[in-house]
Amino acid sequence: MDWLQVIVLALVQGLTEFLPVSSSAHLILVPVLTNWEDQGLAFDVALHLGSLAAVVLYFRRDLINMTISWTRSVTHRQMDSDARLAWAVILGTIPVGLAGLLFKDSIETLLRSPIYLAIGLIVFGLLLGWADWRHKGEREVTQMNWKDVLFIGLAQAVALFPGTSRSGITITAGLMLGLTREAAARFSFLLSIPVILIACALKSYDLATAGVPVDWIFMISGVVASGISAFLCIHFFLAFINRIGMQPFVIYRIILGVALLWLFA
Protein backbone atom coordinates (compact mmCIF):
# COMPACT_ATOMS: atom_id res chain seq x y z
CA MET A 1 0.00 0.00 0.00
CA ASP A 2 0.98 3.62 -0.48
CA TRP A 3 -0.38 6.81 1.05
CA LEU A 4 -2.76 7.52 -1.85
CA GLN A 5 -4.37 4.11 -1.42
CA VAL A 6 -4.62 4.59 2.35
CA ILE A 7 -6.35 7.98 2.08
CA VAL A 8 -8.68 7.01 -0.78
CA LEU A 9 -9.85 3.79 0.87
CA ALA A 10 -10.31 5.49 4.25
CA LEU A 11 -12.36 8.30 2.74
CA VAL A 12 -14.44 5.87 0.69
CA GLN A 13 -15.17 3.79 3.80
CA GLY A 14 -15.99 6.81 5.94
CA LEU A 15 -18.22 8.50 3.38
CA THR A 16 -20.12 5.42 2.20
CA GLU A 17 -20.56 3.39 5.42
CA PHE A 18 -23.54 5.49 6.53
CA LEU A 19 -24.84 6.77 3.20
CA PRO A 20 -27.37 4.50 1.44
CA VAL A 21 -24.94 3.69 -1.39
CA SER A 22 -23.17 0.47 -0.22
CA SER A 23 -19.72 0.89 1.30
CA SER A 24 -18.80 -2.73 0.53
CA ALA A 25 -19.52 -2.16 -3.16
CA HIS A 26 -17.22 0.84 -3.26
CA LEU A 27 -14.43 -0.89 -1.32
CA ILE A 28 -14.61 -3.85 -3.72
CA LEU A 29 -14.70 -1.59 -6.78
CA VAL A 30 -11.82 0.72 -5.90
CA PRO A 31 -9.14 -2.01 -6.25
CA VAL A 32 -10.87 -3.34 -9.40
CA LEU A 33 -10.91 0.05 -11.09
CA THR A 34 -7.43 1.13 -9.94
CA ASN A 35 -5.60 -2.21 -10.17
CA TRP A 36 -4.44 -1.73 -6.58
CA GLU A 37 -3.57 -4.82 -4.61
CA ASP A 38 -6.03 -5.88 -1.93
CA GLN A 39 -5.59 -3.65 1.13
CA GLY A 40 -5.37 -6.66 3.42
CA LEU A 41 -7.17 -7.75 6.56
CA ALA A 42 -5.34 -5.39 8.93
CA PHE A 43 -6.35 -2.27 7.02
CA ASP A 44 -9.89 -3.61 6.72
CA VAL A 45 -10.04 -3.68 10.52
CA ALA A 46 -8.68 -0.13 10.69
CA LEU A 47 -11.34 1.20 8.32
CA HIS A 48 -14.15 -0.40 10.32
CA LEU A 49 -12.69 0.82 13.61
CA GLY A 50 -12.75 4.36 12.26
CA SER A 51 -16.42 4.05 11.28
CA LEU A 52 -17.26 2.51 14.65
CA ALA A 53 -15.49 5.29 16.55
CA ALA A 54 -17.35 7.92 14.52
CA VAL A 55 -20.85 6.58 15.13
CA VAL A 56 -20.18 5.91 18.82
CA LEU A 57 -18.78 9.43 19.28
CA TYR A 58 -21.68 11.03 17.43
CA PHE A 59 -24.36 9.19 19.42
CA ARG A 60 -22.40 9.10 22.69
CA ARG A 61 -25.14 10.81 24.75
CA ASP A 62 -27.83 8.52 23.35
CA LEU A 63 -25.68 5.48 24.02
CA ILE A 64 -24.95 6.50 27.60
CA ASN A 65 -28.65 7.06 28.30
CA MET A 66 -29.58 3.81 26.56
CA THR A 67 -27.01 1.83 28.53
CA ILE A 68 -28.13 3.26 31.87
CA SER A 69 -31.81 2.69 31.09
CA TRP A 70 -31.20 -0.78 29.70
CA THR A 71 -29.31 -1.78 32.85
CA ARG A 72 -32.16 -0.44 34.96
CA SER A 73 -34.66 -2.41 32.88
CA VAL A 74 -32.73 -5.61 33.57
CA THR A 75 -32.03 -5.07 37.26
CA HIS A 76 -35.18 -3.23 38.35
CA ARG A 77 -37.56 -3.95 35.46
CA GLN A 78 -38.02 -0.22 34.90
CA MET A 79 -38.71 0.50 31.23
CA ASP A 80 -38.49 3.92 29.59
CA SER A 81 -37.99 5.13 26.01
CA ASP A 82 -34.19 4.78 26.16
CA ALA A 83 -34.45 1.23 27.50
CA ARG A 84 -36.93 0.32 24.76
CA LEU A 85 -34.57 1.78 22.15
CA ALA A 86 -31.67 -0.26 23.56
CA TRP A 87 -33.74 -3.44 23.43
CA ALA A 88 -34.80 -2.52 19.88
CA VAL A 89 -31.16 -2.30 18.78
CA ILE A 90 -30.48 -5.71 20.35
CA LEU A 91 -33.54 -7.31 18.72
CA GLY A 92 -32.80 -5.67 15.36
CA THR A 93 -29.26 -7.08 15.37
CA ILE A 94 -30.24 -10.73 15.87
CA PRO A 95 -31.42 -11.46 12.27
CA VAL A 96 -28.23 -10.18 10.61
CA GLY A 97 -26.12 -12.01 13.19
CA LEU A 98 -27.83 -15.31 12.41
CA ALA A 99 -27.75 -14.70 8.66
CA GLY A 100 -24.07 -13.80 8.84
CA LEU A 101 -23.21 -17.02 10.63
CA LEU A 102 -25.20 -19.13 8.18
CA PHE A 103 -24.66 -17.49 4.80
CA LYS A 104 -21.94 -14.80 4.84
CA ASP A 105 -19.09 -16.96 3.52
CA SER A 106 -21.15 -18.49 0.72
CA ILE A 107 -22.61 -15.13 -0.30
CA GLU A 108 -19.19 -13.46 -0.41
CA THR A 109 -17.78 -16.36 -2.43
CA LEU A 110 -20.60 -16.71 -4.94
CA LEU A 111 -21.90 -13.16 -5.36
CA ARG A 112 -18.88 -10.90 -4.87
CA SER A 113 -18.61 -9.72 -8.47
CA PRO A 114 -19.27 -6.38 -10.21
CA ILE A 115 -22.38 -7.79 -11.92
CA TYR A 116 -24.05 -8.74 -8.65
CA LEU A 117 -22.95 -5.43 -7.15
CA ALA A 118 -24.64 -3.63 -10.03
CA ILE A 119 -27.85 -5.62 -9.56
CA GLY A 120 -27.89 -4.86 -5.83
CA LEU A 121 -27.21 -1.17 -6.39
CA ILE A 122 -30.01 -0.78 -8.94
CA VAL A 123 -32.72 -3.00 -7.44
CA PHE A 124 -32.39 -1.83 -3.85
CA GLY A 125 -31.80 1.73 -5.00
CA LEU A 126 -35.15 1.70 -6.79
CA LEU A 127 -36.79 0.23 -3.68
CA LEU A 128 -35.30 3.05 -1.59
CA GLY A 129 -36.56 5.61 -4.09
CA TRP A 130 -40.06 4.14 -4.03
CA ALA A 131 -40.15 4.02 -0.22
CA ASP A 132 -39.01 7.65 0.03
CA TRP A 133 -41.52 8.83 -2.59
CA ARG A 134 -44.48 6.76 -1.45
CA HIS A 135 -44.25 6.86 2.33
CA LYS A 136 -44.40 10.30 3.92
CA GLY A 137 -43.84 9.09 7.45
CA GLU A 138 -44.54 10.92 10.68
CA ARG A 139 -43.59 8.26 13.23
CA GLU A 140 -40.58 8.60 15.51
CA VAL A 141 -38.22 5.90 16.76
CA THR A 142 -39.99 5.83 20.14
CA GLN A 143 -43.23 4.82 18.40
CA MET A 144 -41.86 1.56 16.98
CA ASN A 145 -43.12 -1.78 18.28
CA TRP A 146 -41.30 -5.10 18.28
CA LYS A 147 -42.79 -6.07 14.92
CA ASP A 148 -41.39 -2.89 13.36
CA VAL A 149 -37.97 -3.57 14.87
CA LEU A 150 -37.98 -7.15 13.66
CA PHE A 151 -38.95 -6.04 10.16
CA ILE A 152 -36.02 -3.59 10.04
CA GLY A 153 -33.74 -6.25 11.51
CA LEU A 154 -34.75 -8.74 8.81
CA ALA A 155 -34.17 -6.06 6.18
CA GLN A 156 -30.68 -5.50 7.60
CA ALA A 157 -29.91 -9.19 7.05
CA VAL A 158 -30.63 -8.68 3.32
CA ALA A 159 -27.63 -6.33 3.23
CA LEU A 160 -25.38 -9.39 3.07
CA PHE A 161 -26.23 -9.37 -0.65
CA PRO A 162 -23.47 -7.25 -2.26
CA GLY A 163 -24.50 -3.78 -3.34
CA THR A 164 -27.56 -3.65 -1.11
CA SER A 165 -26.19 -1.17 1.48
CA ARG A 166 -26.87 -1.88 5.13
CA SER A 167 -27.89 1.70 5.84
CA GLY A 168 -29.88 1.88 2.61
CA ILE A 169 -32.02 -1.20 3.26
CA THR A 170 -32.66 -0.34 6.92
CA ILE A 171 -33.65 3.22 6.03
CA THR A 172 -35.90 1.80 3.31
CA ALA A 173 -37.57 -0.50 5.82
CA GLY A 174 -38.02 2.36 8.28
CA LEU A 175 -39.62 4.56 5.62
CA MET A 176 -41.96 1.73 4.63
CA LEU A 177 -43.08 1.52 8.28
CA GLY A 178 -43.94 5.21 8.33
CA LEU A 179 -40.89 6.58 10.14
CA THR A 180 -39.69 10.04 9.28
CA ARG A 181 -36.52 10.22 7.22
CA GLU A 182 -34.50 11.37 10.21
CA ALA A 183 -35.95 8.70 12.51
CA ALA A 184 -35.26 5.96 9.96
CA ALA A 185 -31.68 7.18 9.52
CA ARG A 186 -31.00 7.54 13.25
CA PHE A 187 -32.22 4.04 14.01
CA SER A 188 -30.21 2.71 11.06
CA PHE A 189 -27.06 4.34 12.45
CA LEU A 190 -27.68 3.00 15.96
CA LEU A 191 -28.22 -0.47 14.47
CA SER A 192 -24.85 -0.20 12.74
CA ILE A 193 -22.95 -0.09 16.04
CA PRO A 194 -23.29 -3.76 17.09
CA VAL A 195 -22.90 -4.90 13.46
CA ILE A 196 -19.64 -3.00 12.95
CA LEU A 197 -18.46 -4.05 16.42
CA ILE A 198 -19.05 -7.73 15.61
CA ALA A 199 -17.33 -7.33 12.23
CA CYS A 200 -14.31 -5.69 13.88
CA ALA A 201 -14.11 -8.44 16.50
CA LEU A 202 -14.25 -11.22 13.90
CA LYS A 203 -11.73 -9.55 11.61
CA SER A 204 -9.43 -8.84 14.57
CA TYR A 205 -9.57 -12.50 15.57
CA ASP A 206 -8.74 -13.55 12.00
CA LEU A 207 -5.89 -11.04 11.97
CA ALA A 208 -4.49 -12.30 15.27
CA THR A 209 -4.63 -15.95 14.25
CA ALA A 210 -3.18 -15.29 10.79
CA GLY A 211 -0.05 -13.67 12.20
CA VAL A 212 -0.07 -11.01 9.47
CA PRO A 213 2.49 -8.19 9.93
CA VAL A 214 0.84 -4.82 10.64
CA ASP A 215 1.99 -1.41 9.40
CA TRP A 216 0.85 0.64 12.39
CA ILE A 217 1.38 4.00 10.68
CA PHE A 218 -1.01 3.07 7.88
CA MET A 219 -3.42 1.45 10.39
CA ILE A 220 -3.65 4.54 12.60
CA SER A 221 -3.94 6.83 9.58
CA GLY A 222 -6.77 4.68 8.23
CA VAL A 223 -8.64 4.80 11.53
CA VAL A 224 -8.32 8.59 11.79
CA ALA A 225 -9.23 9.38 8.19
CA SER A 226 -12.12 6.93 8.13
CA GLY A 227 -13.40 8.16 11.48
CA ILE A 228 -13.31 11.86 10.62
CA SER A 229 -14.99 11.38 7.24
CA ALA A 230 -17.64 9.08 8.75
CA PHE A 231 -18.41 11.54 11.57
CA LEU A 232 -18.85 14.41 9.10
CA CYS A 233 -20.95 12.20 6.86
CA ILE A 234 -23.35 11.30 9.71
CA HIS A 235 -23.61 14.93 10.81
CA PHE A 236 -24.40 16.40 7.41
CA PHE A 237 -26.62 13.51 6.33
CA LEU A 238 -28.88 13.96 9.39
CA ALA A 239 -28.78 17.76 9.03
CA PHE A 240 -29.95 17.81 5.42
CA ILE A 241 -31.89 14.58 4.99
CA ASN A 242 -35.33 16.19 5.28
CA ARG A 243 -34.41 18.72 2.59
CA ILE A 244 -32.62 16.52 0.08
CA GLY A 245 -34.50 13.26 0.61
CA MET A 246 -33.22 9.97 -0.78
CA GLN A 247 -33.62 10.59 -4.50
CA PRO A 248 -30.05 11.91 -5.12
CA PHE A 249 -28.67 8.68 -3.66
CA VAL A 250 -31.10 6.63 -5.75
CA ILE A 251 -29.93 8.37 -8.93
CA TYR A 252 -26.29 7.84 -7.96
CA ARG A 253 -26.88 4.13 -7.30
CA ILE A 254 -28.61 3.62 -10.65
CA ILE A 255 -25.88 5.47 -12.57
CA LEU A 256 -23.17 3.47 -10.81
CA GLY A 257 -25.03 0.20 -11.34
CA VAL A 258 -25.55 0.86 -15.05
CA ALA A 259 -21.89 1.86 -15.44
CA LEU A 260 -20.81 -1.42 -13.81
CA LEU A 261 -23.05 -3.43 -16.12
CA TRP A 262 -21.61 -1.57 -19.11
CA LEU A 263 -18.02 -2.13 -17.97
CA PHE A 264 -18.23 -5.74 -16.83
CA ALA A 265 -21.23 -7.39 -18.52
Side-chain angles (χ1 to χ4, degrees):
M1 293 181 65
D2 56 29
W3 280 106
L4 177 61
Q5 186 176 0
V6 168
I7 298 303
V8 168
L9 290 175
L11 292 178
V12 167
Q13 167 70 17
L15 293 174
T16 61
E17 177 67 39
F18 301 106
L19 293 180
V21 295
S22 181
S23 62
S24 61
H26 286 77
L27 288 175
I28 292 170
L29 287 174
V30 168
V32 171
L33 297 176
T34 59
N35 290 320
W36 284 339
E37 293 184 4
D38 186 86
Q39 63 267 26
L41 184 59
F43 196 67
D44 240 9
V45 173
L47 296 181
H48 283 84
L49 281 175
S51 297
L52 178 63
V55 69
V56 168
L57 182 62
Y58 191 88
F59 290 104
R60 60 193 181 280
R61 293 187 182 88
D62 302 77
L63 293 173
I64 291 171
N65 293 334
M66 288 164 61
T67 301
I68 294 171
S69 294
W70 180 84
T71 303
R72 192 181 298 124
S73 75
V74 172
T75 57
H76 296 88
R77 299 187 181 279
Q78 296 178 5
M79 191 72 70
D80 58 18
S81 59
D82 287 322
R84 282 191 291 271
L85 182 56
W87 281 111
V89 171
I90 293 171
L91 176 61
T93 304
I94 292 173
V96 71
L98 294 175
L101 289 173
L102 294 173
F103 305 116
K104 189 174 187 297
D105 290 339
S106 58
I107 288 176
E108 287 188 345
T109 301
L110 297 174
L111 302 179
R112 205 172 179 86
S113 76
I115 301 300
Y116 289 116
L117 288 175
I119 293 171
L121 285 166
I122 294 171
V123 171
F124 292 103
L126 290 172
L127 184 61
L128 173 63
W130 173 80
D132 187 52
W133 170 76
R134 176 66 178 82
H135 297 273
K136 307 301 180 184
E138 298 180 352
R139 299 174 67 199
E140 297 298 330
V141 172
T142 54
Q143 296 175 287
M144 293 191 301
N145 57 42
W146 69 268
K147 293 180 181 178
D148 299 328
V149 173
L150 188 58
F151 179 74
I152 296 174
L154 290 171
Q156 183 171 232
V158 177
L160 290 174
F161 188 97
T164 302
S165 170
R166 191 212 57 81
S167 62
I169 195 65
T170 50
I171 290 173
T172 298
L175 293 173
M176 292 172 67
L177 292 170
L179 295 180
T180 66
R181 288 170 177 161
E182 184 177 354
R186 289 182 72 87
F187 188 61
S188 171
F189 295 160
L190 288 171
L191 269 182
S192 74
I193 294 173
V195 173
I196 300 175
L197 182 61
I198 292 170
C200 284
L202 292 175
K203 288 177 180 290
S204 297
Y205 174 79
D206 292 339
L207 181 62
T209 55
V212 178
V214 174
D215 189 322
W216 290 105
I217 299 297
F218 281 169
M219 282 276 287
I220 294 171
S221 301
V223 171
V224 172
S226 173
I228 292 174
S229 57
F231 186 93
L232 293 174
C233 176
I234 294 170
H235 174 75
F236 286 109
F237 184 72
L238 290 175
F240 294 105
I241 189 173
N242 287 323
R243 290 190 220 169
I244 64 176
M246 299 296 168
Q247 302 310 318
F249 305 105
V250 174
I251 294 170
Y252 173 78
R253 288 177 65 120
I254 293 173
I255 292 173
L256 181 58
V258 170
L260 290 176
L261 290 176
W262 180 71
L263 288 170
F264 296 100

